[in-house]
Amino acid sequence: MTLTAINQHSRSSSSGVFPALILVQGNEQKNIVLNRTPFSVGRKVDKDLVIADPRVSRDHAQILLEDGEFFLVDQGSKHGTFVNGERIQRQKLEHNDRLEFGARDSAYVIFNPAQATSNTAREFLSQISAIQIPQEATDLQKLTLFLEAARKLKKQHPDMKVIFVTMHADAPYIKAAFKAGASGYLLKRSAGQELIQAIQVVMKGEFYLTPLITKGVISGFLDPTQIHVPAIEDLTARQREILQLVAEGYSAKEIASQLKTSHRTVEFHKAKIMEQLHLHSTTDLVKFAMVHGLVTGL
């Protein structure tokens, strides 16, 4: 399982891997974890990376994460932003790229050096929570450690948002996660694009629960009205009808015959249902229908 920790106004990499930056100033080197995007660079003290040189603009550049790739974007700086000696406006970043910000003779940054130890979510959490999570730990042991890390992080950083991504769908684990301070809870098989939506939801101050789990499991300590779950109510009457028939085991052709419509129309509705609910297979559709009372079993 993994734990995604998000600072306000930031977005963590959904890949679960945080690239390393090495800031080189003279004979000194400083390791920086790129644990948020946009990651700002400039002379202003509120930037993620502050370079105190008059040739560095106050709002000099940003590193952005787009579709799993990192890009360096100049923010209209006076003295320019450079990647491997070439002045750029926008550049996709690769291992070992040398980044320079106006002051080319005093400081530079190496992006994600290939020889560096990989900086995983587990290592990042160990760094910020001081809780060691062994590589060989079982998923259940990791869950226990992640719960402890979540409690510690929320105590130290109350504004930090924590999202659990795990294989455990049982009520005790889900309740424990939210009681530890989680803002979201996903299942591994439903992560991917759903994680992006979950991050967007929790950054608004709401809670997110995967639609593969019913809200009822966390009743008693969270108000269900505060929890964002792609719900059965989001579907049209025709979509609910098709979902129920899919869950009951009917093929698209059989559903089309029953509803007096075309096979393509049924397939279109099925695809839209999966997109709206962030589900990825017929099995997920069946489970969702059962969780929400459309069918009682197969």
Side-chain angles (χ1 to χ4, degrees):
M1 70 167 292
T2 58
L3 185 67
T4 300
I6 314 158
N7 286 323
Q8 287 285 20
H9 312 301
S10 70
R11 182 159 66 96
S12 294
S13 166
S14 61
S15 68
V17 177
F18 302 101
L21 300 177
I22 297 180
L23 173 63
V24 181
Q25 292 182 294
N27 295 325
E28 297 183 1
Q29 293 189 6
K30 180 181 179 181
N31 292 319
I32 303 169
V33 178
L34 182 62
N35 64 344
R36 65 176 74 187
T37 64
F39 183 92
S40 57
V41 181
R43 203 169 72 247
K44 288 172 65 177
V45 295
D46 63 346
K47 298 305 174 187
D48 297 306
L49 174 57
V50 179
I51 302 177
D53 186 291
R55 292 165 293 179
V56 178
S57 299
R58 291 165 61 82
D59 300 289
H60 196 103
Q62 289 186 339
I63 298 176
L64 305 177
L65 173 63
E66 297 179 3
D67 297 325
E69 304 286 354
F70 287 90
F71 293 83
L72 179 62
V73 181
D74 185 84
Q75 299 293 295
S77 67
K78 181 177 180 180
H79 295 285
T81 300
F82 300 82
V83 176
N84 301 325
E86 297 290 330
R87 187 164 183 166
I88 61 95
Q89 291 299 316
R90 176 186 172 89
Q91 176 71 39
K92 178 182 172 182
L93 296 177
E94 306 286 352
H95 284 297
N96 289 328
D97 276 348
R98 177 176 171 135
L99 319 182
E100 295 170 299
F101 306 95
R104 301 186 61 193
D105 57 351
S106 63
Y108 62 91
V109 172
I110 301 298
F111 175 80
N112 209 20
Q115 71 272 19
T117 303
S118 64
N119 206 316
T120 65
R122 179 187 295 106
E123 292 165 348
F124 172 63
L125 285 169
S126 295
Q127 291 171 13
I128 61 177
S129 69
I131 294 173
Q132 298 302 314
I133 303 170
Q135 182 75 34
E136 67 277 6
T138 67
D139 208 65
L140 189 55
Q141 289 171 330
K142 291 175 188 174
L143 176 58
T144 302
L145 292 168
F146 282 139
L147 287 170
E148 186 180 351
R151 293 187 196 99
K152 196 164 185 177
L153 288 173
K154 291 298 289 185
K155 186 175 181 179
Q156 295 172 345
H157 309 282
D159 292 334
M160 183 171 283
K161 308 299 182 184
V162 176
I163 298 174
F164 279 76
V165 183
T166 176
M167 62 182 285
H168 297 289
D170 298 321
Y173 302 125
I174 300 166
K175 290 183 178 180
F178 280 103
K179 290 180 79 171
S183 295
Y185 197 98
L186 308 180
L187 298 182
K188 279 185 176 179
R189 70 167 183 240
S190 66
Q193 284 298 311
E194 191 181 1
L195 179 58
I196 296 175
Q197 185 191 19
I199 291 172
Q200 292 169 342
V201 167
V202 303
M203 293 308 292
K204 296 176 184 176
E206 301 175 25
F207 295 94
Y208 186 93
L209 182 65
T210 177
L212 295 178
I213 300 171
T214 177
K215 288 184 183 181
V217 300
I218 52 173
S219 60
F221 56 91
L222 278 183
D223 180 355
T225 63
Q226 295 180 322
I227 307 167
H228 180 96
V229 182
I232 195 77
E233 292 80 12
D234 297 335
L235 303 179
T236 65
R238 177 47 63 95
Q239 286 177 325
R240 289 196 296 271
E241 193 173 16
I242 290 174
L243 174 58
Q244 180 175 348
L245 291 170
V246 168
E248 290 175 351
Y250 291 98
S251 68
K253 288 185 178 179
E254 290 170 331
I255 295 171
S257 177
Q258 285 196 43
L259 300 182
K260 296 183 172 21
T261 187
S262 70
H263 170 266
R264 286 189 176 183
T265 298
V266 172
E267 291 287 4
F268 171 79
H269 279 299
K270 182 179 175 183
K272 288 296 292 182
I273 292 167
M274 294 175 73
E275 179 183 346
Q276 285 178 235
L277 299 179
H278 299 283
L279 303 177
H280 307 285
S281 67
T282 300
T283 300
D284 285 347
L285 286 174
V286 172
K287 182 172 182 180
F288 180 90
M290 294 179 69
V291 164
H292 292 274
L294 285 183
V295 290
T296 57
L298 298 178

